[in-house]
Amino acid sequence: MVIIDTRAGRGGNAGARGPEIWFRSGTDRPGLFPGLARAMEAFFTRHRKHLPYVHAAMFVAFLGAIVIPLFLPLPPEDATPLDNFTLAVNFAFWGLWFPLVFLSVIFTGRSWCGVLCPMGAASEWANRVGLQRPIPRWIKWEGTPIVSFLIITILGQTVGVRDHALGIAEVFGGTLLAAIAMGFIYGRKKRAWCRHACPIGLLLGVFSRLGAVQFAPKSKHPGGDAYAERGICPTMISIPRKEESRHCIECFRCVKPSSPGGLFLRLRAPGEEVAEIRSNNPNAAEIWFLFVGTGAALGGFLWLILPSYQTWRMALGAFAIDHNWFWVGEAGPWWLMSVHPEAREVFTWLDFTMIVGYMLGWAALLAAGLAAATGLSAWVAGRLGGDRSFRERFVELGYQFAPVAMVSLLIGLGGKLFDTAVEIGVPAALVGDLKAALLAGATVWGLVLGARILARQGVSLRARFLALAPGLLGSLFIVFSWWPAVAGS
């Protein structure tokens, strides 16, 4: 018999009852499509030994993609990804990799990280021969991936990562070197980079909570999710106490179908973990990352198209001239900003300052707007019978923005996929309608998740509509901020 007691380990006398048994080998597997889950689990555990070869192939392909274009001439104006290697690489990064990795988390969680990512694999290879020093507190700080994401996202804009081979090499190559260096120095048979510092890892981790794949303990120990540097998990998850999906890279090392312990693969309804976030280790740093990261990515898109950017740029330039700050008109170093006279693009310190300020400004604005909406929702929920503290309600309700944030990033930063669809003959109006439909669907999904979170907080059905209103305004704030990406189709 399978016992799924979701109360165990959530407080009270859970510790006295001992571990709850989620699944025993040979019994009916919990979750959706158990036959499919069993087949997936069997396939990956059977071929797990071949993953290093996949990682090696991805590493070689990745190096080729970032290094070879550096030695090729600029693409002709009439070149396309079908007949030019540099453009093909650019499309592979921004038209395929970025949007498809985002979409994959809905269906397979962070499978990219454990199965395909060359950076995480390289970090782990370096760890095997490295110094294996203890992971310091500043790396373990939950704000580290937020800082990492902001640095890489902003640097990507200032060096022209979406347009220039040198920008791609610097951002992706630099990230690879950072992953290898961290793996060489810190951790013992672990992936400190993947857990603590990868700029894309936590973003995928947040959205993996929406995913249809869960790796759950067969025997769930009480006490809540825990960090463990000892054990088989390369991202320091305490296997018997695992509750959340965000740190799981789905490497299948902890999955042993015939063993009574470890994890098993469970398929679930997309969004289930967010709807039941109270039982899945909600995290305030994760919410702030969702707010700030979405805003920074928004600023990285809007500075290219909004007239306000040029207006403020001219104003700052005039102010600098009035104060004899002529250095703002000089080009900066190539590793900090785009200096490509051959492509008729040379950024000055004025451009660099404006891009950084514009992106950070949008990050602060969006974070403030979403925090205000979430705070109002949490306050209303408390007044209408919601349990727990204001802070706990705030953190739980912050997750309702995950669907619309994910879709907005897909549409805005993965726009090359949609642009290519137009170039090959798909009507622009149809592409625009698809983007609008995706945003509308994500907004509705977020409302449904918000309602289920409020139900867990004890808010009555009638009162939930009032508590959901601020959340709806927050989602619409994201939608209309990204609307130029839709209207520009």
Side-chain angles (χ1 to χ4, degrees), residues 189-190 228-239 247:
K189 297 181 180 180
K190 301 298 177 187
E229 291 191 35
R230 292 186 177 182
I232 196 172
C233 179
T235 53
M236 284 78 79
I237 298 171
S238 175
I239 299 301
H247 297 305

Side-chain angles (χ1 to χ4, degrees), residues 355-379:
I355 293 171
V356 173
Y358 203 78
M359 293 180 67
L360 292 178
W362 271 104
L365 178 63
L366 195 70
L370 294 181
T374 307
L376 184 56
S377 241
W379 179 81

Side-chain angles (χ1 to χ4, degrees), residues 268-292:
R268 60 189 181 181
E272 177 185 302
E273 184 172 330
V274 169
E276 303 292 331
I277 193 62
R278 173 168 297 189
S279 301
N280 292 287
N281 198 31
N283 183 277
E286 196 174 21
I287 292 304
W288 286 110
F289 177 81
L290 181 66
F291 293 175
V292 173

Side-chain angles (χ1 to χ4, degrees), residues 104-119:
S104 72
V105 298
I106 297 297
F107 303 101
T108 62
R110 285 184 66 178
S111 58
W112 160 264
C113 302
V115 178
L116 296 172
C117 181
M119 295 184 187

Side-chain angles (χ1 to χ4, degrees), residues 40-73:
M40 292 170 60
E41 184 180 280
F43 175 83
F44 280 100
T45 53
R46 186 186 314 120
H47 297 286
R48 182 170 48 206
K49 62 181 179 295
H50 298 131
L51 283 180
Y53 300 107
V54 176
H55 296 153
M58 289 294 295
F59 183 81
V60 171
F62 182 75
L63 278 184
I66 63 176
V67 172
I68 293 175
L70 296 176
F71 300 95
L72 298 178

